[in-house]
């Protein structure tokens, strides 16, 4: 419990909600600009779009890129909160142990509510959604094994 509480306090200390809000706003702005570019891009003498394929690709790929950047920021903030948890609690193994227990529970039990409402995934300490390696690009949480490994390395070296 100490490790999880310290993790959440680290989110507050590092203003992660503000950072997440800004990254979500930027991702939305990228999507909107991509749509504007598609509909209001350059036109030739006959009024046709100059390159409709490029406009369509931009409209599809820009929002995906924005979402991937947003998810990468979210994963980075989780690692920072893990480090902050180790500093606040003075015991990186406390959070590592909690993450292992939560992960064991999450992989043994389906979360139908989380699967039905994926927008709530960012509010959980562990990603409750199923998915493979490509899905990790769109995950708001880093792999629990990597988080535990980093925390155990902090415990081993004493560097937090």
């Amino acid at each position: 419990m100490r490790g999880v509480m310290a993790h959440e306090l680290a989110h507050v200390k590092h203003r992660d909600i503000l950072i997440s809000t800004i990254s979500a706003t930027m991702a939305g702005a990228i999507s909107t600009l991509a749509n504007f570019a598609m509909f209001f891009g350059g036109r030739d003498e006959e009024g046709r779009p100059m390159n409709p394929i490029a406009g369509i690709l931009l409209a599809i790929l820009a929002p995906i890129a924005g979402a991937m950047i947003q998810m990468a920021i979210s994963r980075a903030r989780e690692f920072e909160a893990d480090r902050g948890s180790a500093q606040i609690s003075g015991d990186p193994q406390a959070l590592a142990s909690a993450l292992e227990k939560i992960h064991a529970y999450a992989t043994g039990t389906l979360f139908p509510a989380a699967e039905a409402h994926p927008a709530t995934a960012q509010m959980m300490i562990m990603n409750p959604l199923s998915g493979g390696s490509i899905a990790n690009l769109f995950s708001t949480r880093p792999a629990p094994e990597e988080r535990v490994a980093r925390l155990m390395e902090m415990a081993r070296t004493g560097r937090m």
Side-chain angles (χ1 to χ4, degrees), residues 76 90 103 107:
H103 180 63
T107 55

Side-chain angles (χ1 to χ4, degrees), residues 11 15-16 29 43 47 58 61 72 84 96 101 108 110 132 135 146 150:
H11 277 305
R15 298 186 172 141
D16 288 338
R43 308 242 178 224
L58 181 65
L61 296 178
K101 289 174 188 172
L110 290 176
E146 187 175 355
R150 287 183 182 202

Side-chain angles (χ1 to χ4, degrees), residues 25-111:
T25 302
M26 295 303 289
I30 290 170
S31 296
T32 302
L33 289 173
N35 284 330
F36 279 140
M38 186 175 123
F39 291 113
F40 302 111
R43 308 242 178 224
D44 62 12
E45 303 84 37
E46 297 173 14
R48 292 179 303 204
M50 296 270 264
N51 191 344
I53 294 173
I56 291 169
L57 283 175
L58 181 65
I60 292 170
L61 296 178
I64 292 171
M68 288 176 67
I69 291 168
Q70 182 183 3
M71 300 304 169
I73 290 170
S74 179
R75 288 189 303 272
R77 301 313 307 158
E78 282 304 308
F79 282 131
E80 226 11 67
D82 289 350
R83 190 177 66 73
S85 171
Q87 290 174 336
I88 292 169
S89 71
D91 183 11
Q93 291 177 327
L95 180 60
S97 173
L99 288 172
E100 287 172 332
K101 289 174 188 172
I102 293 168
H103 180 63
Y105 176 75
T107 55
T109 306
L110 290 176
F111 287 98

